[in-house]
């Protein structure tokens, strides 16, 4: 199991590297590793951009990998989550494809968010 | 931040960038600034960015590349990205993120060819020419600036 802080943009590179290495050890093919680290990169950057700091846990599961990213920032507004889900989200700060794209890349992505507590869970199976 | 800089090679009125390091966000933002300055100084025909050793392109990276492309176009230069890894390309397609206003090719050779460079290596001593077709700065490519 990996537990990594998200405090500065160099942590973003550290998280990508560590999660990539874990995914490789678990036995994911290169194409899947790239998807996993890209999704992690999107979600971790959101923490840096919108919450400031947080953390990431990645672990091997019986079927593959599970990654949790959390922060104590303002939370993702319900309207934003709904817009992302219906594909109508337009971002002021980015391309607006971070969460929706990560959901496409992973086998599952779920969001639990309220002010002060945001958690994003992602899974990919071998 | 102290992780160095992405070097820009100035060659034959082209700017050549080959990314060989982990892409920190600050490095990319710095590259955008540095390329802006270099385009202004050099008035290049093109900017070639080689990404063969880049294992991840997320939406932030894509956005910066698109900004480079737009900026270069406004200043009269083409931007060509070379060597995106297949797994990275597939990932971008799945996420729905695209390079806009940027040409993409497999290798740096192809990029240089798009910019009008021709290498004829059928002879023992290869010859090298630069085409001037539709290049507004073409006059300077043969020596005079
Ligand atoms: N951890 C977070 N805390 C608060 N808001 C967030 C967080 N992650 C994402 N958001 C909000 O959700 C929106 C969509 O995120 P994303 O899909 O990554 O697109 P982008 O970052 O390009 O805007 C962001 O613009 C931001 O408003
Ligand atoms: Mg984002």
């Amino acid at each position: 199991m990996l537990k990594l802080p998200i405090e500065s943009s160099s942590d973003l590179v550290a998280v990508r590297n560590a999660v990539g290495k874990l995914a490789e050890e678990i036995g994911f093919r290169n194409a899947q590793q790239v998807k996993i680290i890209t999704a992690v990169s999107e979600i971790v950057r959101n923490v840096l951009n919108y919450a400031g700091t947080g953390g990431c846990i990645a672990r091997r599961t019986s079927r593959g990998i599970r990654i949790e990213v959390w922060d104590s920032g303002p939370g993702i507004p319900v309207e934003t989550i709904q817009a992302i889900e219906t594909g109508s989200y337009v971002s002021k700060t980015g391309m607006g494809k971070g969460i929706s794209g990560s959901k496409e890349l992973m086998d599952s992505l779920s969001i639990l968010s309220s002010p002060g507590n945001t958690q994003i869970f992602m899974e990919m199976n071998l | 931040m102290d992780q160095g800089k992405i070097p820009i090679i100035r060659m034959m009125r082209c700017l050549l960038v080959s990314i060989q390091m982990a892409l920190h966000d600050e490095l990319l933002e710095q590259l955008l600034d540095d390329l802006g300055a270099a385009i202004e100084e050099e008035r290049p025909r093109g900017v070639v960015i080689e990404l063969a050793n880049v294992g991840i392109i997320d939406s932030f990276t894509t956005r910066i590349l698109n900004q480079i492309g737009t900026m270069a176009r406004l200043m009269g230069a083409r931007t060509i990205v070379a060597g995106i890894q297949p797994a990275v390309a597939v990932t971008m397609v799945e996420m729905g993120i695209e390079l806009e206003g940027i040409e993409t090719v497999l290798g740096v050779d192809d990029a240089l060819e798009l910019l009008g460079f021709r290498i004829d290596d059928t002879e023992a001593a290869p010859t090298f020419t630069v085409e001037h077709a539709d290049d507004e700065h073409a006059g300077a490519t043969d020596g005079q600036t």
Side-chain angles (χ1 to χ4, degrees), chain A residues 42 46 49-50 98-99, chain B residues 59:
Chain A
E42 293 291 348
N46 282 349
N49 285 352
Y50 307 120
I99 294 174
Chain B
S59 67

Side-chain angles (χ1 to χ4, degrees), chain A residues 7-117:
Chain A
E7 276 153 21
S8 71
S9 71
S10 52
D11 292 331
L12 174 57
V13 175
V15 170
R16 276 184 207 154
N17 290 343
V19 170
K21 193 160 160 277
L22 177 65
E24 185 178 10
E25 282 164 17
I26 293 174
F28 285 102
R29 286 177 295 111
N30 178 257
Q32 291 171 303
Q33 289 171 33
V34 173
K35 290 181 190 182
I36 293 166
I37 54 176
T38 306
V40 165
S41 185
E42 293 291 348
I43 302 305
V44 170
R45 185 179 285 98
N46 282 349
V47 171
L48 291 167
N49 285 352
Y50 307 120
T53 62
C56 170
I57 287 182
R59 60 161 67 94
R60 182 194 293 257
T61 64
S62 55
R63 302 200 298 168
I65 194 168
R66 177 176 172 85
I67 300 157
E68 298 174 36
V69 177
W70 73 89
D71 66 67
S72 328
I76 311 176
V78 191
E79 315 84 73
T80 301
I81 296 179
Q82 280 165 352
I84 290 169
E85 266 157 14
T86 58
S88 61
Y89 183 69
V90 178
S91 178
K92 291 190 201 76
T93 46
M95 293 186 92
K97 297 282 186 181
I99 294 174
S100 63
S102 300
K103 200 164 189 166
E104 291 297 322
L105 295 176
M106 302 297 286
D107 287 327
S108 74
L109 181 151
S110 51
I111 303 172
L112 256 177
S113 185
S114 57
N117 182 20

Side-chain angles (χ1 to χ4, degrees), chain B residues 6 13 25 29 44 48 74 88 106 115 125 142:
Chain B
I6 300 171
R13 302 187 66 82
D25 291 1
E29 280 165 345
V48 179
L74 290 172
V88 171
L106 280 178
L115 292 172
D142 41 34

Side-chain angles (χ1 to χ4, degrees), chain B residues 39 66 68-79 100-102:
Chain B
I39 292 169
N66 287 342
I68 290 173
T70 306
M71 176 185 72
R73 191 172 57 244
L74 290 172
M75 295 168 84
R78 289 162 81 172
T79 301
E100 282 156 10
I102 288 183

